[in-house]
Amino acid sequence: MATDLIQELDALEAAAADEVGGVASGDDLEALRVRLLGRKEGRLTAILRRVGELPADQKPAVGKRANEVKEAVSALLERRESELAGGDGGAHGLDLTLPGRRAWRGGRHPVTRVVDEISEVFRDLGFARARGPEAETEWHNFVALNTPLDHPAAATSDTFYLEPGLLLRSHTSPVQIRTMLEHEPPIRIIAPGVVYRRDPWDPSHAPAFEQIEGLVVDEGVSMVDLKATLGEFARRLFGPDTKTRFRPSYFPFTEPSAEVDVTCPFCEAGCSTCKGTGWLEIMGAGMVDPAVFEAVGIDAERYTGFAFGMGPGRIAMLVYGVPDIRMWYEGDTRFLEQFT
Ligand code: DAH
């Protein structure tokens, strides 16, 4: 009877829907296809063979249903095939043998890594680590550092004032002052920390950024010690062949003062990082001005010292070839995770 055959066709379609998802390999899928649709022995063929026994007026209905089932089953088999090939990754298409996709668990910020590297070099050279407050007095930030309050850096247009006399430190140099007020020489410290300036937010400026301050005070400290210390620092940070050069400069709290350059670690004869000069400027430095010693009550006849200050964010830009300082501070993990 036609209804029997139609029921068998329905059962065939249901069986296919049932089994196809459990098939895990291309070979098993082909075996299933042969069992269901195979021309000689398949279930569909077996049903169709019996259509011939039906009265002529019942044949078309069964034939139509047989075509539908054949197409539906073929579609199921095809979808499973592409799933197994990794095509659409449907729930049943998961390949449990693939290694998992790991979520990024975070890491040290690239600027922090540079701060840590620099700190390690100075630790090995015998420097202790000092710290000071980010909300600082005008006296520690400027006056004691021989910087008069009519200096442009002290203007409200350049520095964030919290209230009269109190500001967000514009450099780490006030940590020199706090250290000298608290400790007798010999002093040999570095002070990493964040500083604040009313600078524009542009490729080379950020309103908050890192600095590392250094200070050495003892009897008999000379410019030779400054050059030797910073030369050794540069070789340890950038490589043993690194050379250092001092260019005359001016800072209120050092005399004489210098800008310190190192030979570009990235090229032999000029590249885009050093803008073809072969040199990279990495810090300011100098001999502690006697006026600074006077402000903190250290005897400038007996003691001398040197100081230096650098921006690890800028050094990290050079080291990693990052063209825009803002990229350090935008917190875009797609960018930051490259460095861990
Ligand atoms: N404080 C300076 C600045 O923020 C950097 C600096 C230069 C620090 C020379 C020093 C130094 O200790 O000797 O630009």
Side-chain angles (χ1 to χ4, degrees):
M1 272 197 8
T3 45
D4 289 348
L5 292 182
I6 285 179
Q7 265 172 25
E8 280 183 47
L9 286 166
D10 291 346
L12 169 57
E13 187 179 5
D18 236 24
E19 285 178 47
V20 97
V23 173
S25 75
D27 286 350
D28 290 352
L29 192 66
E30 176 58 13
L32 180 63
R33 193 191 64 75
V34 170
R35 229 171 341 109
L36 300 175
L37 305 182
R39 236 173 260 168
K40 288 188 193 150
E41 309 280 318
R43 261 172 87 171
L44 183 68
T45 304
I47 296 169
L48 290 175
R49 284 206 184 106
R50 287 154 56 201
V51 174
E53 303 159 11
L54 290 175
D57 63 335
Q58 291 181 13
K59 286 181 187 172
V62 178
K64 179 170 173 263
R65 181 69 191 131
N67 275 333
E68 284 169 12
V69 168
K70 187 178 177 190
E71 270 181 28
V73 172
S74 298
L76 282 171
L77 290 165
E78 255 171 53
R79 204 175 78 205
R80 185 68 189 144
E81 192 180 5
S82 77
E83 280 174 7
L84 288 176
D88 71 357
H92 292 294
L94 281 179
D95 180 349
L96 298 178
T97 65
L98 281 175
R101 258 175 249 148
R102 254 166 238 233
W104 186 51
R105 293 227 202 122
R108 272 186 307 162
H109 191 283
V111 177
T112 305
R113 295 162 84 90
V114 169
V115 170
D116 290 349
E117 269 170 45
I118 292 171
S119 300
E120 265 167 45
V121 170
F122 281 110
R123 183 198 60 200
D124 293 347
L125 295 177
F127 285 67
R129 237 168 118 138
R131 60 165 78 206
E134 292 181 9
E136 188 52 284
T137 71
E138 204 170 49
W139 185 80
H140 290 86
N141 195 83
F142 294 122
V143 179
L145 286 162
N146 197 35
T147 309
L149 292 176
D150 57 8
H151 188 283
T156 53
S157 56
D158 283 27
T159 294
F160 291 106
Y161 280 82
L162 299 168
E163 56 186 63
L166 192 68
L167 44 80
L168 292 178
R169 67 181 177 193
S170 60
H171 50 179
T172 44
S173 301
V175 185
Q176 291 185 33
I177 300 301
R178 291 184 175 272
T179 304
M180 289 189 281
L181 287 171
E182 255 176 58
H183 300 282
E184 301 268 304
I187 288 168
R188 198 188 288 144
I189 58 109
I190 57 159
V194 178
V195 305
Y196 302 86
R197 288 186 194 171
R198 293 187 64 170
D199 280 339
W201 176 243
D202 70 21
S204 49
H205 296 90
F209 57 96
E210 301 75 12
Q211 277 195 339
I212 298 179
E213 193 75 16
L215 175 68
V216 170
V217 182
D218 202 351
E219 290 180 22
V221 173
S222 74
M223 193 93 180
V224 174
D225 301 300
L226 170 59
K227 292 193 80 169
T229 302
L230 295 183
E232 183 60 19
F233 159 73
R235 285 188 293 276
R236 292 193 186 197
L237 190 70
F238 295 111
D241 297 330
T242 308
K243 294 194 175 33
T244 310
R245 124 182 135 175
F246 282 54
R247 282 177 294 110
S249 185
Y250 174 80
F251 300 101
F253 32 88
T254 45
E255 179 59 35
S257 302
E259 307 272 5
V260 182
D261 297 345
V262 294
T263 44
C264 178
F266 305 107
C267 69
E268 300 276 299
C271 64
S272 62
T273 302
C274 61
K275 301 201 183 72
T277 64
W279 293 93
L280 301 175
E281 182 189 321
I282 59 160
M283 67 175 115
M287 301 304 294
V288 178
D289 194 297
V292 174
F293 283 141
E294 195 184 324
V296 295
I298 285 183
D299 180 359
E301 295 295 322
R302 179 169 171 202
Y303 293 108
T304 49
F306 65 78
F308 53 88
M310 64 186 102
R314 278 185 206 288
I315 294 174
M317 287 169 75
L318 297 173
V319 170
Y320 294 121
V322 168
D324 188 323
I325 199 166
R326 294 173 294 189
M327 297 172 92
W328 295 141
Y329 306 115
E330 281 168 339
D332 184 338
T333 54
R334 292 168 306 177
F335 168 71
L336 294 173
E337 72 183 319
Q338 304 175 82
F339 299 93
T340 55

